[in-house]
Amino acid sequence: MKKRIAILVLLMLPLLAIAQERKVQNRPYIDFRRLHYGFFFGLHAQDMELANNGFVTENGEQWYADVSAYNPGFSVGVLADLRINTYVALRLLPTLHFGEKQVVFREYNSGNRERQQIKSTYFSLPLDVKISAQRFNNYRPYVIAGVSPMLDMTVKKQRQLLMKKFDFMVEVGMGCDFYMPFFKLNPELKFCFSMLDVLDKNRKDLLDENYKKFTESIDKATTKMIVLSLYFE
């Protein structure tokens, strides 16, 4: 048995050597630039956490709300990357996110339902710290963390819920740099979590007072996003 294991190890050694063999590096000096630019696009999914409070109307209605479906949205932006040292860089990423959330309201006693489609066009300005591993051949994994102020440019009134225009998120994620012959390609997965309550409870815009019950049934709303992007640098 020991002889078989030894023979198997000897057979695998050439394969391991090939796997670790150094290859010609594409764009070997790109990471030594103090400042470089790029662009990116990707897909995202928007979510929202709604804190229902069990409010009961004068008619005895009790409404609960949640996000029922995740519809894919589109993201596009530009990138400025500032090199701090060999492993750390600071990134600024002006971005537009086009997407929507579908909220379903359920009345506890009757089972009646109402729906609201909340479309959002966010302009965000993330500031991220990128921490990279050592480059091997033509790839280099990394992690990111940062903050992102966001402005919703398509807030609509006269709906069951009204969202505030400004939001503030923290971001964490991971990705990998792939060094191609003429550019650097970076697939990245990022998770964004809001730090603010975006539910606007001051509903002076309402002409139908019956809509107030939906806002009064919720104490707080916080947004979340998952973003999958491709960067070209």
Side-chain angles (χ1 to χ4, degrees):
M1 184 67 179
K2 292 183 179 180
K3 290 183 179 180
R4 292 179 180 177
I5 294 175
I7 292 171
L8 182 61
V9 170
L10 290 173
L11 290 174
M12 291 181 62
L13 283 176
L15 296 175
L16 293 173
I18 293 172
Q20 297 300 318
E21 182 181 354
R22 288 286 181 177
K23 298 179 181 179
V24 175
Q25 291 191 351
N26 296 322
R27 303 185 64 79
Y29 303 109
I30 188 171
D31 291 333
F32 294 98
R33 294 178 182 174
R34 181 66 172 171
L35 181 65
H36 65 270
Y37 304 95
F39 67 93
F40 62 93
F41 62 87
L43 300 175
H44 73 266
Q46 298 183 16
D47 191 11
M48 182 183 296
E49 287 192 9
L50 300 169
N52 295 285
N53 57 26
F55 172 77
V56 180
T57 68
E58 295 179 356
N59 298 329
E61 295 179 347
Q62 197 170 8
W63 290 88
Y64 294 89
D66 64 0
V67 175
S68 62
Y70 302 99
N71 299 319
F74 181 71
S75 303
V76 62
V78 293
L79 159 72
D81 187 294
L82 176 65
R83 181 179 182 269
I84 305 300
N85 57 39
T86 303
Y87 301 103
V88 181
L90 194 63
R91 303 195 308 176
L92 185 66
L93 306 106
T95 309
L96 284 172
H97 299 287
F98 305 91
E100 62 183 30
K101 299 172 281 289
Q102 180 139 327
V103 180
V104 174
F105 304 89
R106 297 178 177 87
E107 205 284 307
Y108 180 77
N109 299 303
S110 64
N112 291 335
R113 295 189 180 190
E114 291 202 23
R115 297 179 182 271
Q116 180 182 0
Q117 193 176 44
I118 302 176
K119 293 186 177 182
S120 300
T121 300
Y122 290 114
F123 172 73
S124 65
L125 197 63
L127 183 64
D128 294 340
V129 176
K130 177 183 178 182
I131 304 174
S132 302
Q134 186 173 1
R135 175 176 175 174
F136 182 78
N137 290 335
N138 288 311
Y139 65 88
R140 191 182 192 191
Y142 65 86
V143 295
I144 63 104
V147 296
S148 176
M150 302 183 71
L151 178 67
D152 190 347
M153 299 186 294
T154 56
V155 171
K156 290 187 177 181
K157 300 181 179 181
Q158 293 298 325
R159 297 292 188 272
Q160 293 96 326
L161 300 180
L162 177 63
M163 300 295 110
K164 297 176 182 177
K165 290 186 177 182
F166 183 76
D167 200 356
F168 188 84
M169 291 189 169
V170 295
E171 304 183 333
V172 293
M174 63 191 76
C176 188
D177 295 335
F178 290 96
Y179 298 83
M180 314 301 285
F182 301 106
F183 60 90
K184 186 167 69 171
L185 176 66
N186 315 346
E188 179 182 283
L189 181 65
K190 183 162 60 176
F191 302 88
C192 310
F193 306 93
S194 174
M195 302 300 291
L196 301 178
D197 178 10
V198 295
L199 179 64
D200 192 342
K201 299 187 74 86
N202 185 18
R203 299 305 308 275
K204 294 180 180 179
D205 61 297
L206 287 178
L207 300 177
D208 186 353
E209 294 292 321
N210 190 48
Y211 270 1
K212 281 189 176 180
K213 61 189 178 186
F214 299 108
T215 299
E216 292 175 348
S217 297
I218 300 172
D219 283 336
K220 183 180 181 181
T222 53
T223 54
K224 297 185 292 184
M225 283 201 306
I226 301 175
V227 187
L228 179 61
S229 303
L230 281 178
Y231 291 78
F232 297 85
E233 301 179 30

